[in-house]
Amino acid sequence: MRPAFAVGLVFAGCCSNVIFLELLARKHPGCGNIVTFAQFLFIAVEGFLFEADLGRKRPAIPIRYYAVMVAMFFTVSVVNNYALNLHIAMPLHMIFRSGSLIANMILGIIILKKRYSIFKYTSIALVSVGIFICTFMSAKQVTSQSSSSENDGFQAFAWWLFGIGALTFALLMSARMGIFQETLYKQFGKHSKEALFYNHALPLPGFIFLASDICDHAVLFNKSELYQVPVVGVTVPVMWLYLLMNVITQYVCIRGVFILTTECASLTVTLVVTLRKFVSLIFSILYFQNPFTLWHWLGTLFVFIGTLMYTEVWNNLGTTKSQPQKEDKKN
């Protein structure tokens, strides 16, 4: 029952979170910092009340290790959200972030000296080709949709390239953080809820450097059109409502993933998250009418198939059918 409930939370929370993020980004493309701050603040307050017991509970993992993890997590979150301000369309944003398998494999080989099967190398090649196709086609759209002025077109393309560079950096930094987190869990044991709290609470002072941008967008949000919330009957600026819903759905998404990691095998978690990204992508294209060509669909198909190959879904499904009782015990 709990795994099914967790899957429901992941799909409902994560998919709706993407919707509200796109609603925010379409109106104010540079709102990434205020969105990140609101998400961090909400999760930090919730963790302080229920996980840290108002600061009375001592962390199982020393704070100095969390400081390193937090520096990476804060950087990844800010860079990922800021990339939306650099002519990066939401579908490309989702597809590019699906390349985490590539980053994990590269850093796993370099840092952990891991070796993989030919099957996994093939799956990563498919993911890489898929991301390249989508990125290349998006680059053509950026130049064609820019102003007729050659200078404006080049400037838009330069900012887009900077956005791609930012996403690449965030992808590698996220993979490095995952390896660091893996080593901590091996040494101190798994403390996912504690890590969730400290990853969001410790970076809060860092937002002082982004205070000016956050305040500017708060003013813009106040000036947005008014919306009367059903049932409650309260009238609020619509951008604040979008932000509130984005924060709540982000929390639901994270909680769903957390329950999955404690109740299911890692393969199941990877598969659910991948399917969720695919559903979010399709919804973003259909509902928001984002430009998406046949080449984009081909690239997306490569990414999706490559991810399923990497997790060896078909082999594991066959094992599950032949050994249902054994798999149930594991989960």
Side-chain angles (χ1 to χ4, degrees), residues 139-183:
K140 293 179 66 177
Q141 287 178 349
V142 167
T143 54
S144 63
Q145 290 172 2
S146 299
S147 172
S148 56
S149 169
E150 184 176 344
N151 185 49
D152 289 344
F154 175 78
Q155 188 177 24
F157 181 70
W159 279 113
W160 179 86
L161 281 179
F162 185 67
I164 292 297
L167 285 177
T168 303
F169 170 78
L171 204 62
L172 293 171
M173 180 66 77
S174 178
R176 181 64 185 90
M177 183 181 70
I179 292 174
F180 181 73
Q181 197 169 6
E182 184 179 334
T183 58

Side-chain angles (χ1 to χ4, degrees), residues 303-325:
V303 171
F304 188 63
I305 293 176
T307 302
L308 294 180
M309 286 177 60
Y310 186 88
T311 55
E312 299 179 356
V313 170
W314 294 280
N315 293 340
N316 283 275
L317 286 177
T319 304
T320 303
K321 289 180 180 179
S322 60
Q323 298 176 326
Q325 294 179 346

